[in-house]
Amino acid sequence: MVVLIGILAAAASPSFVSGMRDRRVNRTAMEISGIYRLARYQAIGRGAAVLVRWTASTGAFQVRQAQVDNIAAGALIATSCLSVADWMDPAQTDSVTTLQTMGIDLAAMQLLDPAGVAQDNADVCFTPRGRTFVRYDAAGAFAPLLGALRVNVTNTRTGLLRSVFVPPNGVARLGL
């Protein structure tokens, strides 16, 4: 009886491990969708621009909010994505969240622009009025997002693919 249980456990182990990796890929896709949605809601709620940066080399999503200082003194809040000269400067932005995604075993991530071209970097900026802007070069200019961005999270062993879509309205959705 013990031998039979051992044989069944050994046979089920690869599928169990595979299922665990698939769940991690699904959870990561849901977290990415949540990051984009939360950034949009924060921009609208705070009245300040919020940026989500994807960097393929680090495998991380980073959320930055425009710095809001001296409101009582009448300083302007950065309501535009263009108001912040350097989104990585801590004097101009508050770093809020960094999601590391490459730590997932046997998972591959890819961000595709609306034309379906893979991008190594992408800055998606949300304004308080609900507009969404994008740029693929940190030194480049922001342009309105006119199509849906897609972030693919793939289990490289099983081939399970989960996609997150970020449409022009900024409300990210998990695709099938």
Side-chain angles (χ1 to χ4, degrees):
M1 186 68 155
V2 172
V3 173
L4 182 61
I5 291 173
I7 292 171
L8 289 174
S13 180
S15 64
F16 178 74
V17 170
S18 215
M20 289 292 291
R21 288 188 182 122
D22 285 349
R23 282 190 287 283
R24 285 187 206 138
V25 165
N26 195 39
R27 184 178 64 234
T28 299
M30 287 189 289
E31 288 175 5
I32 292 167
S33 175
I35 279 189
Y36 280 106
R37 275 186 273 137
L38 181 62
R40 180 180 180 270
Y41 297 149
Q42 285 177 335
I44 292 169
R46 285 183 75 225
V50 177
L51 178 111
V52 177
R53 171 167 282 177
W54 154 249
T55 307
S57 62
T58 61
F61 286 88
Q62 191 174 57
V63 179
R64 290 189 168 263
Q65 295 182 7
Q67 186 76 277
V68 180
D69 282 334
N70 302 321
I71 293 176
L76 293 176
I77 299 170
T79 58
S80 168
C81 298
L82 305 176
S83 299
V84 178
D86 181 4
W87 276 97
M88 299 319 289
D89 181 359
Q92 296 183 43
T93 62
D94 294 324
S95 181
V96 176
T97 303
T98 299
L99 172 66
Q100 287 287 357
T101 55
M102 295 306 279
I104 301 170
D105 294 337
L106 302 172
M109 295 214 33
Q110 186 179 45
L111 186 138
L112 304 171
D113 66 15
V117 177
Q119 298 292 333
D120 290 333
N121 301 297
D123 290 342
V124 177
C125 186
F126 301 97
T127 69
R129 294 188 177 187
R131 296 194 64 199
T132 306
F133 293 87
V134 66
R135 68 180 178 189
Y136 303 108
D137 179 7
F142 281 102
L145 181 61
L146 300 176
L149 290 177
R150 186 172 75 214
V151 180
N152 290 333
V153 183
T154 307
N155 182 334
T156 55
R157 180 162 290 169
T158 66
L160 175 74
L161 170 69
R162 291 290 181 248
S163 295
V164 176
F165 295 94
V166 183
N169 69 2
V171 182
R173 294 181 176 90
L174 188 61
L176 298 176

